[in-house]
Amino acid sequence: MRWRSARWSTVAVVLAAAACTGSPDAPPSDPASTGPTSEIEAPVGLDAAGDVEGRSVTFTFEPVPDADGYLLDLSTERGPARPPVRVEPEDCDDRCRVVLTAATVTDATSATVATVVGGRRSGPTDPLAVPPVDVPAPPPPAAGATVVVTRLADGALVVETVDVERTEVQAMLRATLAEDDVVSVGLGLTGTWDQADDEADRELPEGLGRWYLEAFDADALPPSRGEGVIVAIIDTGADLSNPVFDGADVGIGANVRTPEDRPQDHGTGTAALIVGQPGSRVPGIAPNATVRVYDVFGGEDSFETGDVGRAIIQAVDDGAQVINLSLGASCTNVGPATFDCPGGLQAAVDHAEANDVVVVASAGNDGDGASWCRGGDNPLDFPSNADHWPAKYETVIAVGGTNRNGEKWDCSNDKGYVDVLAPADSIFVPTLDGGYRFSSGTSHSSPLVAGLIATVLAERPDLTPGQIRDLLRRATDENGRLVPAAAMVSLGLRGDLEIVDLATGSQVVPFEAVIEYLDGHPARSYAQVHDSGFTTNVRSFDLWAKVGGASSTGVIADGLLFIEGDGTVTGTGWLRRPPAGLGISSTTSSGGTVTAEYRQLTQGFSARCPWSYRDEAANRITPTFEWAWDVPVAVQGRIVDDGAPTVEIRIDLGNDPPPGESDRRLPDVTVLRDDLGECPGNLPEGTTFVNPIDTYEEVLVKRDQVFEETETLLELMVAEPGLVAKAPLGPRASRQVTITGDVRVDLAIGDAVGPD
């Protein structure tokens, strides 16, 4: 799921900083939405006190008899700071008490509290001034730079870090790339995280903090729950003595940065959301998995990407099947650069993919959905929606966040590379020394998805990382929210279709539609005439290859159907595309004729700098321009009685037409990577173009040709009026073919959808 597009433009890859993506506590919205009433008694005695380091604020007040709860409101000079904090009656003894982090209250000037009874609230207390807090600022730009080099030595990958002056980086990059044993080179990133709350031993409201279990329909997951699957957590160290781990198979994988154990809150919470034991205060999604923690922080508030690369490689070599990275590095604070700053992790990520290890990473918390987000209108001077690595790598599952209502969490990074959204807002997690707290961030979303993947692999160990990525992307709703029950149905791990999405109340059914454009259709006619099929530096993915010798050109739309009680059907999905930079192979018969393959739509493209003086396959940092179209799919229909309950739908591709127009539109192109302009400066003097033969100028010409032809072809597909399809709604796999004019739709629903 890649929901944000930007029209063809130049995107400069510059700057660098690192951050853990478990961010400030973000309280949930409250269901009490009616206006205040004087009939309900307001609390009294509201008080607030900051800790000695200014890193959290404790609010207390006297409880009200028979109250259903309380709402603590924070305000700034501009108005309300964020949704109110809900405090439960069970969190009150002689006084009610709630602790908020410095990052939560950083711009708040006053606080009030109100009582909630029966969905109504009292009037607020008199405003109370909020004590000052101290939130760590990001580090200043570094004077020098660190380069991360990954080499192949005696059949094993070895990561080196080299400190250089920033002015020397480009020269070192060229020189290092020319060495035969180098697999990848990139800028080493370091920085600070934004988790300001280290208080552990305190009481916090728990009920709302376990809503992720309901969102993932955890009780209906297969009973194996990750049994036999090894999950590596690359994070801070974890306090494995917390009671949530009693009985769990969890241990230390490696202390990468320092030799001694240095547990911290962040890694403790991450591990618990995967392997926390049933019945504990923080149950995990895969409590039967084997979890190993790789500490890349060493007790500090920062990490270095060189250590992360070492940890990924070691985890793969140790036998991990899933790797979770609740952290990220972004190019935001090392000053101008003219090279690919995150390239240092590429070899490690490729190593995981080559060994069938699924990598999951948090997408980041610098969205701009609210003033209290790291990237919003705040005094911390963090950029909004910065690119985060390793989440941005195409083979990594990038996980953003949702709130309790199934909507995108305000602070979740809004980037085109985000694959799925999972719970992030106000999650209850363990801390050091047996403590617990509320916390928010995509750092929590990522391990929930990693736990789900471990659960899937325990049942289907044959699935590849690519199949897992496809499975999760199509099990999302129109907001990008992951619906795990739909993934289970796709794999045949739930035998019924009576799956209700707890966030919407609708029955959920996955669907897949193979759409074929037959002879006579404008899209097929255009493809037959414009057969570019470049195979050198411009990767067109052979969009036209399915035409030769076949009678149709096919694409795949998939997603979720939502069935209401009155039989109304709506649905959302996407036309599938593979990762940019990877081609699609066409099948050939013994006679050499290309046959039609019903593979994912080839919307991803890549134009690469020509290299001839070293092995191109080993060069992971070639300047590249990558682009793609993210084509949405909208479905409307109903349940009809066609001898048996049958789903009858209309499928529309692309964006809705503008007001007053009828034709649907192809979305704007998404630029995935743009450092191709560095190509001339990276080519050694006297380079002879032998293999491949394209010069830099020829690459630019072919890139533009592929772009124009493919855009036209996709526009012809999108312009097709609503496509009609239907299939029986049964308890098991079902599919049916519908042909209307020169378009053939093969619709599959239920557990007919998914990897073979």
Side-chain angles (χ1 to χ4, degrees):
M1 187 278 306
R2 313 254 166 180
W3 64 80
R4 194 168 74 99
S5 297
R7 195 64 189 171
W8 183 282
S9 61
T10 300
V11 180
V13 178
V14 288
L15 317 180
C20 231
T21 47
S23 91
D25 300 11
S29 57
D30 189 83
S33 57
T34 58
T37 174
S38 60
E39 299 174 2
I40 300 175
E41 180 184 353
V44 296
L46 177 62
D47 193 14
D51 70 355
V52 293
E53 296 179 351
R55 302 184 73 181
S56 67
V57 176
T58 300
F59 295 88
T60 62
F61 53 88
E62 295 183 12
V64 175
D66 301 321
D68 294 333
Y70 307 90
L71 297 178
L72 178 68
D73 280 289
L74 302 176
S75 295
T76 69
E77 295 177 353
R78 299 181 299 276
R82 57 190 304 170
V85 178
R86 173 88 180 203
V87 182
E88 300 298 332
E90 53 264 32
D91 300 296
C92 304
D93 293 320
D94 57 330
R95 290 182 70 79
C96 302
R97 183 170 181 262
V98 63
V99 183
L100 300 180
T101 66
T104 299
V105 300
T106 182
D107 56 352
T109 56
S110 64
T112 62
V113 66
T115 307
V116 177
V117 177
R120 298 192 303 164
R121 69 174 72 184
S122 71
T125 59
D126 292 335
L128 174 75
V130 175
V133 293
D134 180 22
V135 179
T146 300
V147 172
V148 179
V149 182
T150 304
R151 301 179 184 274
L152 187 63
D154 297 326
L157 292 176
V158 178
V159 178
E160 302 172 353
T161 54
V162 183
D163 294 328
V164 297
E165 293 295 328
R166 189 175 304 158
T167 55
E168 299 174 359
V169 170
Q170 196 76 333
M172 179 183 176
L173 183 71
R174 290 197 201 96
T176 305
L177 281 173
E179 298 175 17
D180 292 338
D181 61 344
V182 171
V183 178
S184 74
V185 180
L187 186 66
L189 309 180
T190 188
T192 186
W193 60 11
D194 60 354
Q195 188 143 348
D197 182 7
D198 290 330
E199 296 296 319
D201 188 13
R202 61 175 181 263
E203 295 296 323
L204 286 173
E206 296 186 32
L208 291 179
R210 288 192 287 267
W211 65 273
Y212 62 89
L213 296 172
E214 180 179 279
F216 268 47
D217 202 4
D219 290 342
L221 292 175
S224 60
R225 297 291 288 275
E227 185 174 1
V229 177
I230 301 174
V231 181
I233 296 173
I234 296 176
D235 208 295
T236 73
D239 180 2
L240 304 182
S241 67
N242 191 289
V244 301
F245 300 117
D246 289 350
D249 184 358
V250 58
I252 298 172
N255 296 318
V256 179
R257 187 166 183 175
T258 59
E260 61 274 4
D261 297 342
R262 293 186 177 179
Q264 294 173 265
D265 287 346
H266 193 272
T268 306
T270 301
L273 291 174
I274 295 176
V275 78
Q277 292 299 284
S280 71
R281 295 175 72 178
V282 184
I285 297 299
N288 298 329
T290 296
V291 168
R292 296 294 179 261
V293 180
Y294 294 76
D295 182 0
V296 295
F297 283 80
E300 302 295 330
D301 287 350
S302 63
F303 65 89
E304 298 178 357
T305 49
D307 289 331
V308 174
R310 294 183 185 96
I312 293 173
I313 292 168
Q314 182 171 347
V316 172
D317 295 345
D318 288 346
Q321 295 155 275
V322 183
I323 294 176
N324 182 79
L325 295 128
S326 288
L327 48 78
S330 57
C331 298
T332 55
N333 79 331
V334 298
T338 57
F339 46 86
D340 185 10
C341 73
L345 289 177
Q346 183 70 68
V349 170
D350 288 348
H351 183 57
E353 181 77 4
N355 286 275
D356 287 333
V357 179
V358 184
V359 181
V360 188
S362 49
N365 305 331
D366 47 33
D368 52 10
S371 63
W372 41 269
C373 298
R374 188 172 69 190
D377 180 17
N378 64 65
L380 302 185
D381 196 30
F382 282 103
S384 297
N385 291 311
D387 287 337
H388 278 242
W389 284 269
K392 190 177 179 182
Y393 288 121
E394 280 290 331
T395 57
V396 173
I397 297 172
V399 185
T402 66
N403 60 23
R404 288 175 56 87
N405 298 323
E407 302 162 337
K408 186 172 76 70
W409 178 52
D410 287 337
C411 297
S412 184
N413 226 345
D414 187 14
K415 300 295 289 187
Y417 56 77
V418 176
D419 295 296
V420 298
L421 304 180
D425 187 17
S426 296
I427 306 297
F428 192 66
V429 293
T431 59
L432 295 175
D433 302 323
Y436 299 87
R437 66 168 176 180
F438 267 129
S439 181
S440 298
T442 58
S443 274
H444 307 320
S445 313
S446 183
L448 293 174
V449 173
L452 181 68
I453 293 169
T455 298
V456 168
L457 288 176
E459 301 290 330
R460 290 289 305 274
D462 58 301
L463 297 181
T464 66
Q467 289 173 319
I468 292 289
R469 290 191 292 269
D470 284 344
L471 171 71
L472 297 185
R473 287 167 183 164
R474 62 173 171 259
T476 59
D477 69 5
E478 68 276 10
N479 296 320
R481 177 179 60 94
L482 178 62
V483 182
M488 297 300 107
V489 172
S490 295
L491 294 173
L493 300 180
R494 289 186 63 163
D496 64 297
L497 291 182
E498 294 299 325
I499 296 174
V500 176
D501 176 17
L502 298 178
T504 64
S506 304
Q507 183 182 344
V508 181
V509 182
F511 79 93
E512 177 182 85
V514 178
I515 304 168
E516 300 177 60
Y517 300 93
L518 309 177
D519 282 333
H521 191 279
R524 174 166 168 74
S525 299
Y526 184 86
Q528 289 174 312
V529 173
H530 298 81
D531 183 5
S532 296
F534 299 124
T535 57
T536 54
N537 291 98
V538 178
R539 305 295 180 86
S540 68
F541 297 113
D542 217 1
L543 181 63
W544 302 265
K546 298 183 180 69
V547 175
S551 61
S552 64
T553 299
V555 297
I556 293 179
D558 54 18
L560 299 180
L561 300 179
F562 294 88
I563 303 174
E564 309 300 333
D566 62 359
T568 301
V569 178
T570 58
T572 60
W574 300 87
L575 289 185
R576 271 192 264 165
R577 69 170 169 82
L582 300 179
I584 296 296
S585 299
S586 298
T587 302
T588 58
S589 68
S590 57
T593 302
V594 180
T595 61
E597 276 194 305
Y598 305 134
R599 301 288 296 277
Q600 48 200 356
L601 175 62
T602 53
Q603 301 137 280
F605 303 90
S606 166
R608 305 173 64 190
C609 181
W611 298 85
S612 61
Y613 66 95
R614 64 188 305 274
D615 181 10
E616 183 185 353
N619 177 19
R620 306 297 187 186
I621 198 171
T622 303
T624 301
F625 191 95
E626 295 174 354
W627 72 98
W629 283 272
D630 300 312
V631 183
V633 175
V635 177
Q636 292 183 329
R638 56 181 179 154
I639 301 296
V640 298
D641 187 359
D642 198 6
T646 300
V647 175
E648 186 175 80
I649 59 175
R650 166 190 168 121
I651 302 173
D652 288 299
L653 309 181
N655 291 338
D656 291 335
E661 299 185 22
S662 58
D663 292 341
R664 300 184 68 82
R665 298 296 182 91
L666 181 68
D668 289 345
V669 69
T670 300
V671 176
L672 301 172
R673 175 177 169 180
D674 181 13
D675 57 0
L676 185 60
E678 300 168 19
C679 180
N682 279 276
L683 293 175
E685 277 187 43
T687 296
T688 301
F689 297 98
V690 178
N691 181 27
I693 60 174
D694 297 333
T695 65
Y696 171 66
E697 290 74 18
E698 289 170 332
V699 168
L700 296 181
V701 171
K702 290 183 178 181
R703 178 198 67 180
D704 293 344
Q705 182 180 344
V706 170
F707 176 85
E708 293 169 5
E709 293 181 354
T710 308
E711 182 180 47
T712 300
L713 180 56
L714 292 174
E715 286 173 342
L716 292 171
M717 294 177 180
V718 167
E720 179 69 29
L723 307 171
V724 177
K726 62 181 181 178
L729 181 64
R732 302 299 300 170
S734 59
R735 64 189 315 138
Q736 186 169 324
V737 173
T738 304
I739 298 178
T740 305
D742 47 16
V743 179
R744 180 183 189 272
V745 181
D746 184 354
L747 177 65
I749 63 174
D751 56 11
V753 179
D756 295 331

